[in-house]
Structure formats: structure tokens, C-alpha cells
């Protein structure tokens, strides 16, 4: 009886943690889901569950990093600790348009961020407007510390559909421990001004999410954050577990000080991977649903893989079709298929990823899953290489 109560409690906790995420992605399906896009999504989801190696479906969710430069120095972020491993800069509109024109046929949503602060890009509103004109949803995640003042009404007028405000705390003392260089009063003011601008313009967008990463030092501020979110009219406040970069998972000193006490927010702690070899007991969905495109055109299989030497392709010199089923992608998907790989297989960065359960790990002949840092000998993908 006690076991059943504990299981039910865990289920409720997980629903509370993940249900807002499900709602987030249901909206663009209803708004932008053409018959072609919906058919592609259904096919992608079927191929994910079947663990296919060569896909007929195309990615429908894209992360396009329009600025991989940031004004803060967060200690668990590769940009913050200067380990990004690729050229940094700001994507101009013409380059973005070239990329979007290649992906728009199947794109449902484009997230205009990954390893930087997107509002540092002066072309951001032109980029959002162009994406919206192509019937594609837009997301932005921002620290809301803006060196150059931004008119919140411009954000509303641009057609941005969803904005995540990264705000981990309610006091400057707590906030600045992770958001190094940030000013919490500026974040508060900018968020309230955006909500006021949306109301003044009688707009339903952007949907405003307050994302609060729960660390050891800010757990006690959760209830106060909920109160402020309700007081200001924030659409959603979401408390999430800290995420550790795969290359840091073998270094306990890099994350020990950050992990909270509440087990609900230990979902992605590296100790889980150390105990059973992976964090999530399912196939990697990134290899079937999404494509991460970096400043400069480099393509990686997910947002965690940031170094240029691990790229799977270059979108500026190849099509989505040429990259999506190339040798790199096929080799990565073999990790999630128990059948013996057909033909020669490349060693890819995914071989050492501790995030998802790899049912085909042994059949692929990967000797160890100890550390992604052991995987530094991979050759970079040359411009135009399609596998």
C-alpha cells in the first residue's frame, strides 16, 4: 500500500514537472500544423519508436542559434565558462533567411537561441517577422539583462509566440550565484514591462514563461517566486532541474554545489547516469525530431553538442536532406537499434552520451561510455560533406 502511494506521488510530481512542456508544444501544432507538417510529425514519431536508422521524415523542430555570444557568465554553460569550441558571433538576417528557406517546408517551430543571448542580435525582430510570415512558430529564451535598451512593444509587435525568461531566484544574492553578472531588478522590470506592453497592445502573444532552475542555493525561494508570478500575471512559472553538460558529468566538483535537496529536481543529476549508464530510459528524440543549427551553419544532433569538431554537417553548404541521413546521423541512430549495423559505422559524439538509453550500444562495438571528453579525436565535418 505504501509502495502504491509513493508511486502515485512520484507520478503526480512528474506530471507537475512535465505537463507545462506538453502544453507548450501543443499550441504550435494547432496554429501551424498544415496537413504536410502533421503527416511528417506522425511519421517522425513512428520512426523514433521503431528506432529507424534511415528516416523518411524530416526534423520539425529547429534550434537556430542567432547569437552565440552572451553578456552573463553562468558556471554550467559552455558559453559562460568559455568552452563553446566554435567561432562566436551574431547571425545576420540574410544568413538566417538562407537557413530558414532550407528548413521551412517541414518546420513547425524554430527556437531562436541555444548558447547565447538572442536579444543581442539587432536583427532579431526582422528574423521573427520573417519566420512568422512562413507560418512557423517562434520561441526565444532570454536572461532579460539587455545592455542595449529594448522596447517591449517591439517584442509584442514582432509576432514572437513564446518567450522564456531565465530567472533563478527572487533576491540578487541568490540570483547572481548562477547568473553571474546579472541584475535581478533589471530582469523584474523588463518582464513586467513586457507583460504591460502585451496588455496595452491587446495581444495574446508572446506567452511569457518564467523558468526557474532549482539549485541548492535557491530552493527556499520557490514559494515566493510563485507568489510574484501570480502577482505580475506571468502565464507560467516552471521549476526545472539543473542540466549538466555531458562533458562535465565525470567531474563531480563541477556540479556538486548546484544540485538541490528536493529529489523532484534531481531528474538530470549525473549520479543517475553513473548508477545505470544513462539518465532517460528511452531513445534519443533529438535524432528524430530536431536539428540544432549554430552560428556559422554548423549542424549538431542536439543542443548539448556544441563543439565545432562534433558537427554532423553544414546547412549553409548542404540541404537538410543531405545532412539528415548522412553517415554521421545514420551512425548515431544505430545506437538505438539492436540489430547489427549494416555497413561501416562512424564513431560519433553520441557514442559517449550518457543522457539516453542506447539499446544498440554493444552491437555498434562502442568500447566505453565513460566520458564524452575521451571522444576528442573525431574529425570535423568539412563544409558540404554529406556523408
Amino acid at each position: 500500500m505504501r509502495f502504491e502511494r509513493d508511486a502515485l506521488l512520484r507520478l503526480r510530481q512528474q506530471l507537475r514537472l512535465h505537463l507545462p512542456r506538453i502544453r507548450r508544444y501543443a499550441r504550435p501544432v494547432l496554429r501551424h500544423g498544415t496537413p504536410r507538417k502533421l503527416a511528417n510529425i506522425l511519421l517522425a514519431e513512428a520512426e523514433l519508436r521503431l528506432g529507424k536508422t534511415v528516416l523518411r521524415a524530416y526534423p520539425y523542430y529547429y534550434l537556430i542559434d542567432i547569437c552565440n555570444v552572451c553578456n552573463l557568465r553562468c558556471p554550467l554553460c559552455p558559453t559562460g565558462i568559455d568552452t563553446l569550441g566554435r567561432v562566436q558571433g551574431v547571425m545576420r538576417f540574410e544568413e538566417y533567411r538562407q537557413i530558414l528557406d532550407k528548413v521551412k517546408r517541414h518546420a513547425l517551430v524554430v527556437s531562436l537561441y541555444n548558447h547565447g543571448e538572442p536579444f543581442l542580435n539587432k536583427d532579431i525582430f526582422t528574423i521573427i517577422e520573417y519566420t512568422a510570415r512562413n507560418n512557423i512558430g517562434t520561441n526565444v529564451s532570454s536572461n532579460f539583462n539587455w545592455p542595449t535598451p529594448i522596447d517591449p512593444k517591439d517584442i509584442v509587435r514582432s509576432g514572437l509566440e513564446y518567450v522564456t525568461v531565465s530567472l533563478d531566484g527572487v533576491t540578487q544574492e541568490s540570483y547572481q550565484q548562477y547568473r553571474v553578472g546579472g541584475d535581478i531588478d533589471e530582469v523584474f522590470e523588463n518582464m513586467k514591462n513586457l507583460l504591460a506592453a502585451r496588455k496595452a497592445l491587446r495581444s495574446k502573444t508572446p506567452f511569457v514563461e518564467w523558468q526557474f532552475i532549482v539549485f541548492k542555493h535557491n530552493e527556499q525561494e520557490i514559494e515566493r517566486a510563485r507568489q510574484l508570478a501570480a502577482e505580475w500575471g506571468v502565464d507560467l512559472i516552471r521549476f526545472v532541474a539543473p542540466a549538466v553538460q555531458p562533458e562535465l558529468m565525470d567531474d563531480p566538483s563541477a556540479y556538486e554545489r548546484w544540485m538541490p535537496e528536493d529529489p523532484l529536481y534531481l531528474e538530470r543529476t549525473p549520479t543517475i547516469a553513473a548508477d545505470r549508464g544513462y539518465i532517460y530510459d528511452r531513445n534519443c528524440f533529438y535524432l528524430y525530431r530536431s536539428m540544432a543549427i549554430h552560428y556559422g551553419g554548423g549542424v549538431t544532433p542536439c543542443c548539448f553538442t556544441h563543439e565545432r569538431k562534433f558537427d554532423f554537417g553544414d546547412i549553409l553548404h548542404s540541404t537538410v536532406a543531405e545532412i539528415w541521413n548522412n553517415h554521421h546521423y545514420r551512425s548515431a541512430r544505430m545506437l538505438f537499434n539492436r540489430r547489427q549495423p549494416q555497413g561501416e559505422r562512424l564513431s560519433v559524439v553520441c557514442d559517449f552520451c550518457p543522457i539516453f538509453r542506447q539499446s544498440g550500444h554493444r552491437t555498434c562495438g562502442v568500447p566505453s561510455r565513460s566520458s564524452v571528453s575521451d571522444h576528442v579525436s573525431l574529425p570535423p565535418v568539412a563544409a558540404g560533406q554529406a556523408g
Side-chain angles (χ1 to χ4, degrees):
M1 195 70 176
R2 180 179 177 181
F3 173 79
E4 292 176 353
R5 286 197 302 268
D6 289 346
L8 183 59
L9 177 60
R10 286 194 297 272
L11 177 60
R12 287 175 177 172
Q13 289 175 328
Q14 290 301 315
L15 285 174
R16 187 177 72 182
L17 195 62
H18 295 293
L19 190 57
R21 205 70 172 171
I22 297 171
R23 291 172 178 167
R24 171 177 178 172
Y25 294 110
R27 291 186 182 91
V29 169
L30 297 174
R31 180 172 293 187
H32 306 290
T34 65
R36 181 193 300 274
K37 291 181 180 180
L38 292 175
N40 181 67
I41 291 170
L42 291 174
L43 180 58
E45 294 302 309
E47 291 180 323
L48 163 63
R49 283 151 182 80
L50 292 171
K52 293 287 187 177
T53 299
V54 178
L55 307 185
R56 293 166 55 207
Y58 287 90
Y60 58 86
Y61 177 80
Y62 292 84
L63 294 98
I64 304 180
D65 205 355
I66 63 172
C67 175
N68 64 356
V69 178
C70 192
N71 51 328
L72 302 189
R73 292 293 175 263
C74 303
L76 293 179
C77 172
T79 307
I81 59 177
D82 198 25
T83 61
L84 193 59
R86 68 175 64 241
V87 174
Q88 293 180 263
V90 178
M91 187 180 292
R92 298 274 67 92
F93 171 68
E94 288 305 319
E95 183 178 316
Y96 177 81
R97 180 166 63 180
Q98 181 182 350
I99 294 171
L100 192 77
D101 287 350
K102 291 187 176 185
V103 309
K104 65 185 181 182
R105 184 176 184 181
H106 297 100
L108 184 74
V109 177
V110 171
S111 287
L112 301 168
Y113 64 93
N114 197 351
H115 290 110
E117 170 49 55
F119 283 108
L120 295 179
N121 189 324
K122 295 180 180 179
D123 290 343
I124 186 169
F125 299 126
T126 305
I127 287 171
I128 293 170
E129 290 164 0
Y130 183 72
T131 309
R133 287 202 304 272
N134 282 279
N135 190 31
I136 301 169
T138 48
N139 296 333
V140 161
S141 180
S142 169
N143 60 48
F144 265 49
N145 281 267
W146 301 326
T148 302
I150 294 174
D151 185 347
K153 290 185 178 179
D154 287 339
I155 299 177
V156 178
R157 294 189 187 106
S158 71
L160 179 66
E161 293 185 7
Y162 203 106
V163 60
T164 299
V165 182
S166 299
L167 174 55
D168 323 307
V170 296
T171 63
Q172 178 65 22
E173 179 182 5
S174 174
Y175 171 75
Q176 67 186 1
Q177 290 191 51
Y178 187 71
R179 303 291 170 179
V180 178
D183 182 341
I184 197 169
D185 289 332
E186 181 178 344
V187 183
F188 285 168
E189 181 180 2
N190 287 335
M191 183 159 59
K192 288 187 286 187
N193 287 343
L194 175 59
L195 291 164
R198 188 182 67 178
K199 183 177 181 179
L201 293 173
R202 298 181 180 180
S203 176
K204 294 182 179 180
T205 57
F207 187 95
V208 178
E209 173 192 310
W210 173 349
Q211 179 182 270
F212 187 118
I213 302 177
V214 181
F215 296 112
K216 187 179 296 185
H217 63 265
N218 64 16
E219 284 181 282
Q220 71 282 2
E221 296 183 353
I222 288 177
E223 289 307 316
R224 180 54 181 158
R226 283 199 178 100
Q227 293 170 5
L228 290 176
E231 179 183 326
W232 297 340
V234 174
D235 297 304
L236 170 68
I237 183 166
R238 195 164 63 93
F239 300 95
V240 301
V244 178
Q245 294 294 324
E247 65 266 27
L248 296 179
M249 285 192 172
D250 291 325
D251 179 13
S253 64
Y255 56 83
E256 274 181 347
R257 64 167 289 199
W258 305 105
M259 292 301 154
E261 300 295 331
D262 189 335
L264 178 61
Y265 304 107
L266 291 177
E267 179 189 28
R268 292 181 282 186
T269 179
T271 55
I272 296 177
D275 290 342
R276 65 183 184 182
Y278 53 84
I279 292 177
Y280 296 120
D281 189 16
R282 59 180 182 268
N283 286 357
C284 172
F285 51 78
Y286 293 106
L287 294 170
Y288 298 84
R289 296 174 178 168
S290 64
M291 180 178 284
I293 301 172
H294 298 262
Y295 167 75
V299 172
T300 58
C302 69
C303 56
F304 292 107
T305 309
H306 48 83
E307 295 184 61
R308 176 69 180 90
K309 63 186 177 183
F310 297 141
D311 283 0
F312 278 20
D314 186 327
I315 195 66
L316 294 176
H317 297 89
S318 305
T319 65
V320 174
E322 288 171 336
I323 297 172
W324 191 233
N325 280 312
N326 69 10
H327 207 167
H328 290 77
Y329 265 108
R330 295 198 310 271
S331 296
R333 295 188 191 113
M334 289 176 189
L335 293 166
F336 301 95
N337 191 318
R338 289 189 175 89
R339 288 175 293 183
Q340 195 71 24
Q342 300 296 310
E344 182 183 0
R345 181 182 179 276
L346 286 178
S347 180
V348 292
V349 66
C350 307
D351 292 0
F352 295 88
C353 177
I355 299 176
F356 295 97
R357 173 181 53 80
Q358 297 179 357
S359 57
H361 192 81
R362 290 186 178 180
T363 58
C364 287
V366 179
S368 170
R369 303 230 358 225
S370 59
S371 173
V372 73
S373 61
D374 296 336
H375 211 42
V376 295
S377 61
L378 282 179
V381 175
Q385 179 177 340

